[in-house]
Amino acid sequence: MGRNNRGGIAKRRAKMGNYAISSSIGDQTCFSCTTFNILAPIYKRLIHEGRTCRESDFRAYWLNRNERILDLLLCERSSIICLQEFWVDNEELVEMYDTRLGDAGYINFKLPRTNGRGDGLLIAVHKDYFRVINHRDFLFNDFGDRVAQLLHVELTAPFTQCRTKNACREMLIVNTHLLFPHDSSMCLERLRQVYKVLQFVDTYLKENNLDPLPIILCGDWNGSKRGHVYKFLRAQGFVSSYDTAHQYTDGDAHKWVSHRNHRGNICGVDFIWLLDPNKYRKVLRSSWSDAVFGLFKYLVSRASLTGEDAFAFLKAVSDGDYITYSGFCEALRQLNLIGQRYGLSEDETKDLWVQADIDGNGVLDYKEFQQRIWNSMWSYQTENAIKDQEDTTNSVQQTAGLSVKNAVMFPPEAENGLWPEDYSLSDHACLTVEFSPAR
């Protein structure tokens, strides 16, 4: 499906309500990206004849719902489609998506979760907009059986003819789905999953000797703007495209939602993150340690401990006014940050200690504790970091990036923090963002 099939699309859009960016119909210097957790039928609960069952048991139900999902996606005609909880184990459903998306001009990439989970990921890119240079699959090999997809794409020649000289031509697109936070003990593993995704991206850039490229991270992040994953990505320079389009701040978590979970809670967990090449990035290893120390601070603060109390907690086994490595490990063990199957490994714990021990004398005094553990999360906004950012910007000479033009959700009520009772496509909203290549 190219840019010329406009009349039919307009008629089909009316059935979806007043929703669509449809960049392919509007400004031809833009492209759009959609992320959508489509709720795999093997997870969707139903009440049938008085008993609880799964939608996967009833072909007519899951077939009808997924046909309507495809209607929405093809009505929208995003240049990039990223789906989570795609039912890869059902051949009929897979063939339906392959056929309808393929007939519409998309190239599809699918990736099952590990250990036969049944669902997985799908990325579809439209041939009118992108040429796929390369793609990579990443298996987390964790207890959540999570996976991620990476596509390296180039904007196609017809699309680039109407754009500004030296504008962005290539970018990386990542699709993933993080572990659900069943309880606070899952937080560390979720941070580790983000860390692995960013390592995966950095490794790809280095192995292929690529200059910095715009990076778009799509998916169900299973965490809100108040969470540690959000802070970790923000510390790495990523911005939430939806919030950028609507000029929301990091504190505007209540203004939109994208998910009603199995507990009945509504929250905003679906993001399309953007990192432009000129954006300052703190060293990934340092951001990871900051995130873990931020989690430590959160856990001890829940017990109403102040900074001085937390220092005393860490140095409990020390004879002096300092923290030893053994005391550090014991405190982490009491907080369940080590000693669990998803806790910190021995190497991770030692690396955290090395980064906290600024002078390398084998112990942490109160100043080091304050600087590296208690107040570390936003320490990248120091004078040195700002200087590093200026140096980086000058060295790449304003590398081409992306500009966020617009962003919408379906159902539209989600944009006002509401969840309509008659919405039945999924337990997630569909998020679409429109981008413009820029210098």
Side-chain angles (χ1 to χ4, degrees):
M1 176 171 56
R3 296 184 177 87
N4 296 323
N5 188 19
R6 299 183 181 181
I9 292 296
K11 293 177 182 177
R12 289 170 64 186
R13 187 192 306 118
K15 297 180 181 179
M16 298 297 172
N18 186 23
Y19 162 75
I21 289 180
S22 296
S23 62
S24 55
I25 298 174
D27 187 349
Q28 291 189 350
T29 65
C30 298
F31 67 89
S32 55
C33 178
T34 292
T35 186
F36 193 13
N37 181 324
I38 58 175
L39 180 55
I42 53 176
Y43 303 135
K44 182 174 172 59
R45 297 178 176 89
L46 298 176
I47 302 297
H48 182 73
E49 297 181 352
R51 64 183 181 88
T52 301
C53 52
R54 301 286 176 168
E55 185 190 55
S56 53
D57 297 328
F58 303 93
R59 177 181 179 275
Y61 289 4
W62 61 255
L63 184 63
N64 175 268
R65 184 169 65 88
N66 280 274
E67 284 176 340
R68 290 188 291 121
I69 288 171
L70 277 164
D71 286 343
L72 173 64
L73 295 173
L74 295 177
C75 170
E76 171 58 31
R77 290 201 303 165
S78 277
S79 318
I80 306 161
I81 298 172
C82 294
L83 303 181
Q84 304 85 43
E85 290 198 23
F86 180 68
W87 194 14
V88 291
D89 264 4
N90 187 285
E91 292 182 2
E92 183 179 4
L93 182 140
V94 170
E95 183 179 0
M96 179 174 69
Y97 274 82
D98 279 345
T99 299
R100 292 191 62 182
L101 290 173
D103 289 347
Y106 289 93
I107 305 172
N108 306 327
F109 300 86
K110 298 174 288 293
L111 177 62
R113 288 171 64 192
T114 50
N115 292 321
R117 287 282 187 155
D119 67 310
L121 305 172
L122 180 147
I123 294 184
V125 291
H126 204 288
K127 291 182 287 188
D128 278 1
Y129 293 90
F130 293 106
R131 179 180 72 88
V132 177
I133 298 174
N134 206 345
H135 77 278
R136 290 283 187 271
D137 294 335
F138 179 68
L139 312 180
F140 289 101
N141 294 317
D142 59 8
F143 73 94
D145 297 309
R146 300 295 166 172
V147 294
Q149 299 170 288
L150 181 149
L151 259 64
H152 179 190
V153 298
E154 178 185 33
L155 289 161
T156 56
F159 184 67
T160 59
Q161 289 174 357
C162 58
R163 298 200 344 272
T164 307
K165 183 181 178 181
N166 298 327
C168 166
R169 292 187 61 88
E170 296 181 20
M171 67 196 71
L172 300 182
I173 304 163
V174 176
N175 183 26
T176 194
H177 181 189
L178 297 194
L179 183 72
F180 182 83
H182 294 283
D183 56 59
S184 59
S185 67
M186 303 291 184
C187 188
L188 178 63
E189 180 60 24
R190 288 165 34 73
L191 283 172
R192 185 184 284 114
Q193 287 173 349
V194 179
Y195 185 37
K196 287 181 177 181
V197 168
L198 298 184
Q199 284 181 316
F200 176 43
V201 172
D202 286 352
T203 298
Y204 178 82
L205 290 169
K206 292 174 183 175
E207 288 179 349
N208 292 276
N209 297 315
L210 295 172
D211 292 329
L213 296 174
I215 300 169
I216 298 175
L217 304 182
C218 300
D220 173 7
W221 300 86
N222 262 323
S224 74
K225 294 175 66 174
R226 299 184 178 94
H228 296 278
V229 165
Y230 182 90
K231 293 177 182 177
F232 185 15
L233 284 164
R234 291 290 286 123
Q236 275 289 292
F238 286 88
V239 296
S240 163
S241 299
Y242 182 84
D243 292 295
T244 299
H246 294 272
Q247 298 183 339
Y248 292 155
T249 67
D250 288 350
D252 290 328
H254 62 288
K255 292 189 175 180
W256 60 271
V257 298
S258 68
H259 178 40
R260 180 166 67 179
N261 64 31
H262 60 281
R263 297 168 179 167
N265 301 321
I266 58 174
C267 46
V269 302
D270 298 270
F271 291 88
I272 296 178
W273 293 97
L274 171 65
L275 178 69
D276 266 334
N278 292 320
K279 188 73 174 181
Y280 168 74
R281 285 186 69 187
K282 188 175 183 180
V283 174
L284 181 57
R285 174 170 168 257
S286 297
S287 282
W288 158 252
S289 65
D290 284 352
V292 176
F293 289 141
L295 177 58
F296 167 84
K297 182 176 180 179
Y298 165 75
L299 292 173
V300 299
S301 295
R302 286 200 310 179
S304 300
L305 296 181
T306 64
E308 292 183 358
D309 294 332
F311 181 71
F313 172 57
L314 284 168
K315 74 178 187 69
V317 298
S318 169
D319 294 330
D321 197 26
Y322 50 78
I323 302 165
T324 63
Y325 181 67
S326 60
F328 179 73
C329 292
E330 179 58 30
L332 296 183
R333 184 174 291 105
Q334 291 186 41
L335 294 171
N336 291 322
L337 291 175
I338 62 174
Q340 307 288 333
R341 63 172 179 165
Y342 41 78
L344 294 166
S345 67
E346 182 177 354
D347 287 343
E348 288 173 332
T349 304
K350 288 181 179 178
D351 188 53
L352 288 173
W353 175 260
V354 169
Q355 292 190 65
D357 184 12
I358 298 172
D359 58 16
N361 67 348
V363 297
L364 304 183
D365 58 28
Y366 188 71
K367 182 179 179 180
E368 288 173 317
F369 163 78
Q370 282 284 333
Q371 184 174 342
R372 289 297 298 126
I373 298 180
W374 199 247
N375 296 316
S376 65
M377 181 57 75
W378 301 108
S379 61
Y380 69 94
Q381 293 178 339
T382 62
E383 182 177 346
N384 289 336
I386 293 172
K387 183 179 184 299
D388 290 342
Q389 181 175 2
E390 292 171 348
D391 292 342
T392 301
T393 300
N394 292 334
S395 66
V396 299
Q397 297 181 349
Q398 296 298 315
T399 305
L402 298 174
S403 174
V404 177
K405 306 299 290 185
N406 195 8
V408 296
M409 287 188 186
F410 183 83
E413 290 89 343
E415 296 191 320
N416 298 316
L418 304 173
W419 196 261
E421 292 299 324
D422 60 349
Y423 175 65
S424 59
L425 285 187
S426 175
D427 57 354
H428 285 257
C430 178
L431 167 61
T432 299
V433 177
E434 189 177 49
F435 296 98
S436 175
R439 284 174 54 182

